Amino acid sequence: MLPDIKSLSREEIETQFKAWNEPAFRVAQLLDWLYARRATNWDAMSNLPKALREKLRVNFTLQILKLASKQGASDTTQKFLWQLADGAFIESVLIPANPALYGEASDRHTLCISTQVGCAYGCKFCASGLDGWKRNLGVHEIVEQIFAVERWHAARPKEESQEPAADRVVNNIVVMGMGEPLANYDNLIKALKILNAPWGGGIGARRITISTSGLAPQIRKLAVEPLQFRLAISLHGATDEARNRIMPVNKKYPLSELTAACDDYQKLKGRMITLEYILIAGVNDSLEQARPLAALAKKLYAKVNLIPYNKVEDLPWVRPAEEVCERFLAALEKNDVTATLRREKGGDIDAACGQLRLKTERALAST
Ligand code: SAH
Ligand code: SF4
């Protein structure tokens, strides 16, 4: 299979063009077509000589994500289901910024992207892992999620939105879609570098958050990457007992190991980590759980995002009552922990990642 052009760094394209005896300015022209103009085929690149376009065509693919379906009204959370070249489905979710959550202005949008088809980690509450792991996404498939959404945004019918059409729609990226990003480490980092580069996505590293279920060795690796990405840990339990019950990964990297890796990360980067904590009724929402969570957050100099559980079809877990969530938040705050409680956006459209894909794949399998 040919490599895809959007999986190459600028240096790699430069090397290729040198080998073809192409002048250096052609590289900038190609990057402009790929990332500024978001071209969908080689023939659109009208200022590249035909012979060069032909060389590109026989040596690289230019894969475009195919929109299989979209849920959600404009100006609210919108979920995109993409079909990849091999027929597999992945999701991206476009979320209008919640200023309280990541500290952005409210006209901003965050895109939640996927890194794998399925997930091998099998957290008991999550739809992404229900049918297991299929494959890692390639660099270009991670990168394309942003550009496919930008293309959709540029082309959407006027009546779909009250907003004036801004040039760009994605200001922030959270790697919290389907899959465990740190289990696809090399492709993830290469894709994020392309999304961060001024010639690529132009999105600041501080506007990119990587979420992990707790792969301690890769957290250490991430700590020594030069780019300042933000890190979020899917904690969901503040004791080994609570975490073991819902996250099998905790058997491999128990809390002692995970917190040591986070500690090192925090010290090396000097940046605040976020602890994600889904509240699941009767599992991790009691006030006894708030105490060890507060202690951990303080030890790690981390803030806590509380997320009321989104119901997943076929799974027994349910979201606690609103008062329970508010009480849990208050208990953390009383212990001087910076915490936020997500007051739902997108819960009604299967916004918990992995659910739209699961439904679609199961529906296709039954036809
Ligand atoms: N694998 C990575 C990133 C993808 S999951 C990780 O686990 O961090 C992104 C976030 O969505 C995680 O915090 C995950 O625990 C959460 N999540 C999964 N299913 C959910 C659900 N049904 N309701 C709310 N959050 C959910
Ligand atoms: Fe995988 Fe994250 Fe879902 Fe766990 S929560 S199954 S690691 S996607």
Side-chain angles (χ1 to χ4, degrees):
M1 225 176 57
L2 296 177
D4 192 88
I5 192 72
K6 284 208 203 79
S7 62
L8 270 64
S9 65
R10 183 180 191 133
E11 294 73 39
E12 287 169 330
I13 297 178
E14 279 167 355
T15 306
Q16 179 65 76
F17 275 34
K18 242 181 231 152
W20 287 343
N21 284 321
E22 291 289 342
F25 71 90
R26 295 284 182 217
V27 174
Q29 286 180 324
L30 173 63
L31 293 173
D32 184 57
W33 281 112
L34 292 176
Y35 298 114
R37 306 200 205 194
R38 307 186 280 262
T40 56
N41 62 76
W42 302 112
D43 291 328
M45 304 180 183
S46 52
N47 59 356
L48 297 186
K50 226 171 163 193
L52 173 57
R53 272 186 264 156
E54 223 25 62
K55 267 190 282 191
L56 286 164
R57 193 195 315 275
V58 299
N59 286 283
F60 300 99
T61 58
L62 174 50
Q63 288 179 15
I64 302 304
L65 295 184
K66 201 173 120 203
L67 185 62
S69 70
K70 188 175 82 69
Q71 283 186 354
S74 186
D75 302 344
T76 62
T77 296
Q78 299 183 78
K79 187 165 212 168
F80 300 82
L81 184 74
W82 308 111
Q83 191 163 33
L84 307 175
D86 66 351
F89 292 100
I90 55 159
E91 305 174 8
S92 317
V93 184
L94 186 65
I95 311 154
N98 174 348
L101 201 56
Y102 296 105
E104 322 95 322
S106 56
D107 61 336
R108 300 192 163 267
H109 286 77
T110 296
L111 188 69
C112 173
I113 59 171
S114 297
T115 50
Q116 300 183 312
V117 181
C119 184
Y121 286 83
C123 301
K124 300 271 171 36
F125 48 81
C126 177
S128 292
L130 272 182
D131 283 351
W133 176 85
K134 299 267 162 55
R135 68 172 175 89
N136 281 336
L137 293 190
V139 173
H140 61 290
E141 292 167 325
I142 300 174
V143 167
E144 241 293 288
Q145 292 173 60
I146 281 79
F147 294 94
V149 168
E150 292 291 359
R151 247 182 250 117
W152 162 84
H153 174 77
R156 86 210 142 124
K158 287 279 171 294
E159 61 271 21
E160 263 215 36
S161 176
Q162 312 299 317
E163 290 172 22
D167 183 36
R168 292 271 298 267
V169 67
V170 180
N171 316 96
N172 298 274
I173 295 174
V174 293
V175 191
M176 293 187 185
M178 199 194 313
E180 168 49 55
L182 296 189
N184 186 10
Y185 190 90
D186 292 344
N187 288 352
L188 170 78
I189 297 300
K190 194 171 182 193
L192 294 184
K193 283 182 181 162
I194 293 172
L195 290 169
N196 170 249
W199 51 263
I203 296 173
R206 286 183 171 80
R207 300 194 164 280
I208 299 177
T209 303
I210 302 170
S211 174
T212 177
S213 59
L215 273 55
Q218 283 90 331
I219 291 171
R220 290 209 155 88
K221 224 167 137 185
L222 192 64
V224 292
E225 292 285 346
L227 286 171
Q228 293 283 9
F229 303 121
R230 288 174 190 262
L231 179 65
I233 306 291
S234 293
L235 195 68
H236 311 330
T239 60
D240 279 322
E241 198 194 356
R243 226 169 110 83
N244 282 341
R245 198 171 152 197
I246 47 177
M247 300 182 75
V249 68
N250 197 66
K251 303 238 163 72
K252 198 160 179 199
Y253 305 116
L255 275 176
S256 55
E257 229 170 290
L258 174 58
T259 49
C262 291
D263 214 22
D264 284 357
Y265 181 94
Q266 206 280 319
K267 287 205 176 88
L268 270 165
K269 289 285 190 206
R271 301 194 58 83
M272 207 176 205
I273 291 176
T274 302
L275 301 177
E276 307 276 340
Y277 194 97
I278 310 178
L279 288 162
I280 309 177
V283 172
N284 62 0
D285 61 341
S286 75
L287 290 183
E288 285 94 85
Q289 294 282 319
R291 234 169 291 127
L293 176 57
L296 203 63
K298 279 204 273 199
K299 181 171 177 291
L300 292 175
Y301 180 62
K303 60 176 176 172
V304 177
N305 277 344
L306 298 174
I307 306 147
Y309 182 66
N310 273 320
K311 179 84 188 125
V312 175
E313 244 175 65
D314 300 342
L315 293 182
W317 320 98
V318 291
R319 166 187 302 200
E322 230 173 284
E323 312 82 73
V324 176
C325 299
E326 297 287 352
R327 219 180 303 140
F328 200 91
L329 172 68
L332 293 179
E333 286 173 338
K334 214 177 92 200
N335 278 291
D336 299 321
V337 171
T338 309
T340 53
L341 170 64
R342 187 182 295 175
R343 290 161 182 106
E344 250 347 278
K345 273 188 179 172
D348 52 334
I349 59 157
D350 304 327
C353 288
Q355 295 192 58
L356 183 56
R357 162 190 171 256
L358 196 70
K359 272 189 196 164
T360 308
E361 292 215 318
R362 288 185 173 173
L364 284 178
S366 67
T367 54

